Amino acid sequence: MNANIFPSKFINSKWSRFAASGNITTPYINNLDLKSKKIFCIGSCFAEEIRLALEKQNIEVYPNFSNIKADSQLCRLDELPERHHMNYYNVYSIERELKKASSLNHEDTASNLWCLENLTYKAGWRIAKRIKENNDKPLYLDPYRRLCFSSSLDYFVDLVESVDNAFQEAFQVSNLFVITLGMSEVFIDRETKIPLNQLPATAPHFPPGREPLFQCLTEEKVYQSLKNIHQLITNKHTPAKLLITVSPVPLNRTFRKNMDVVSANAFSKAVNLSAVSRLLQENHANVHYFPSYEFVSLPDQTNFMEDFQHVNRAKVENIIESFLEASSL
């Protein structure tokens, strides 16, 4: 079945109607003229794809990283300047970036960097995790962003602050915030308790006492983080809307113990979807949801009977056979 996302005043409540039409209905969003909006887009690679699609429609998208010139001979700054996007994989990292962007007080950049004496950066290295050679400078890492490191402290501090400024400007001018939620697996800085964007690429090399703590976010924690994000956007001087979507991109890997990545991915998406559902039930006028995850991740219809609702018996028998085989070990 080829599905479509169909805006409607009459939201479909029956699966049989979806099976007949292929339409996933979504409410009209009043006064959402995208071409007149300045859109802040943040999240993982799916957020980047949204950004690219919007820009293809000549829609203004932020943050604007075009003036940031990261010299690959000196550092790596995510995928800048080749790609004008920085990935954020969990809601905690998105919340932290928006908190920083909304504040007029800059953090002490240098104090937030990790210094790794046994590592260095070499031009052309995709991930700087080789043992330092003689007379090499130590590696400085921004652990709260993705793949951001350098061997030149002063140069790197200036570069990180230029990224901070781009986010701050974007926060001030944007009137629509699009966030994509990716995963619920997070790592926390053991010392500062600040969430990391991901497990640093330098693993297993960390500063003493800074080994990341692994967590699987609960629905409550994701919900509270979304509440904080909504409050930041609502408190803006200029009115803004929040559009949330859950990324259909699966986990590349899981850090859970004794759980397959497919199951971990399902749990991760379910936690995010459930948290978004709670926020939507509060009926905030400036919060909206778009069913990207549902649109891409529809189940294989060949597994169902002709009503597209009941699982066909051959598939059920295959499931039970697999279960019996696994449980007999």
Side-chain angles (χ1 to χ4, degrees), residues 29-146:
I29 303 176
N30 294 329
N31 303 318
L32 193 63
D33 179 8
L34 289 181
K35 292 189 179 294
S36 69
K37 297 292 185 184
K38 294 182 177 180
I39 301 177
F40 191 118
C41 197
I42 187 169
S44 59
C45 55
F46 189 66
E48 180 185 17
E49 295 302 326
I50 291 174
R51 176 183 187 125
L52 292 172
L54 290 171
E55 289 176 338
K56 194 172 182 179
Q57 298 293 325
N58 297 316
I59 295 172
E60 200 169 358
V61 186
Y62 291 85
N64 182 358
F65 298 121
S66 61
N67 293 325
I68 297 175
K69 308 300 181 184
D71 187 346
S72 63
Q73 298 297 312
L74 297 173
C75 74
R76 179 167 181 186
L77 198 67
D78 202 330
E79 301 289 347
L80 301 179
E82 286 77 16
R83 293 163 55 192
H84 290 174
H85 178 76
M86 301 184 77
N87 283 358
Y88 291 84
Y89 293 108
N90 61 76
V91 70
Y92 275 8
S93 290
I94 293 172
E95 179 189 352
R96 168 175 162 75
E97 201 64 78
L98 291 177
K99 276 184 178 178
K100 286 180 62 182
S102 66
S103 175
L104 297 178
N105 300 317
H106 282 286
E107 298 179 356
D108 180 4
T109 301
S111 67
N112 281 331
L113 302 179
W114 287 2
C115 178
L116 298 171
E117 293 288 348
N118 61 332
L119 298 179
T120 191
Y121 175 78
K122 297 287 189 183
W125 285 11
R126 184 157 181 81
I127 298 176
K129 61 179 183 181
R130 302 186 185 182
I131 300 300
K132 190 175 70 167
E133 299 172 3
N134 292 335
N135 301 319
D136 279 334
K137 296 178 181 179
L139 180 78
Y140 296 95
L141 172 75
D142 181 352
Y144 310 118
R145 291 184 174 129
R146 173 182 179 265

Side-chain angles (χ1 to χ4, degrees), residues 7-27:
S8 175
K9 293 181 180 178
F10 305 101
I11 303 305
N12 180 33
S13 62
K14 293 187 176 181
W15 191 269
S16 59
R17 290 178 187 159
F18 160 72
S21 68
N23 289 330
I24 303 173
T25 55
T26 184

Side-chain angles (χ1 to χ4, degrees), residues 105-242:
N105 300 317
H106 282 286
E107 298 179 356
D108 180 4
T109 301
S111 67
N112 281 331
L113 302 179
W114 287 2
C115 178
L116 298 171
E117 293 288 348
N118 61 332
L119 298 179
T120 191
Y121 175 78
K122 297 287 189 183
W125 285 11
R126 184 157 181 81
I127 298 176
K129 61 179 183 181
R130 302 186 185 182
I131 300 300
K132 190 175 70 167
E133 299 172 3
N134 292 335
N135 301 319
D136 279 334
K137 296 178 181 179
L139 180 78
Y140 296 95
L141 172 75
D142 181 352
Y144 310 118
R145 291 184 174 129
R146 173 182 179 265
L147 297 176
C148 294
F149 42 73
S150 173
S151 288
S152 174
L153 177 59
D154 291 340
Y155 175 81
F156 193 48
V157 167
D158 288 343
L159 204 58
V160 169
E161 290 179 351
S162 68
V163 172
D164 291 343
N165 292 336
F167 272 108
Q168 190 171 68
E169 177 191 3
F171 187 87
Q172 298 303 323
V173 303
S174 297
N175 48 19
L176 174 63
F177 289 75
V178 177
I179 68 171
T180 69
L181 301 180
M183 63 181 69
S184 61
E185 297 186 11
V186 302
F187 288 90
I188 308 295
D189 187 326
R190 189 180 295 267
E191 179 179 294
T192 65
K193 308 307 179 188
I194 297 174
L196 308 181
N197 193 321
Q198 60 181 150
L199 181 67
T202 57
H205 302 284
F206 310 107
R210 306 294 287 273
E211 296 82 357
L213 297 166
F214 175 68
Q215 287 186 13
C216 289
L217 296 183
T218 62
E219 182 253 18
E220 176 67 26
K221 289 181 177 180
V222 176
Y223 165 72
Q224 289 299 331
S225 190
L226 287 174
K227 288 277 287 183
N228 294 340
I229 290 171
H230 172 245
Q231 197 62 51
L232 288 170
I233 292 170
T234 302
N235 290 344
K236 269 173 53 68
H237 178 68
T238 53
K241 295 179 182 291
L242 173 61

Side-chain angles (χ1 to χ4, degrees), residues 222-271:
V222 176
Y223 165 72
Q224 289 299 331
S225 190
L226 287 174
K227 288 277 287 183
N228 294 340
I229 290 171
H230 172 245
Q231 197 62 51
L232 288 170
I233 292 170
T234 302
N235 290 344
K236 269 173 53 68
H237 178 68
T238 53
K241 295 179 182 291
L242 173 61
L243 180 62
I244 306 172
T245 192
V246 173
S247 170
V249 178
L251 294 181
N252 184 45
R253 65 163 295 182
T254 181
F255 291 90
R256 297 175 189 246
K257 302 299 183 184
N258 301 319
M259 182 175 288
D260 181 85
V261 66
V262 175
S263 296
N265 179 68
F267 280 112
S268 193
K269 302 301 182 183
V271 164

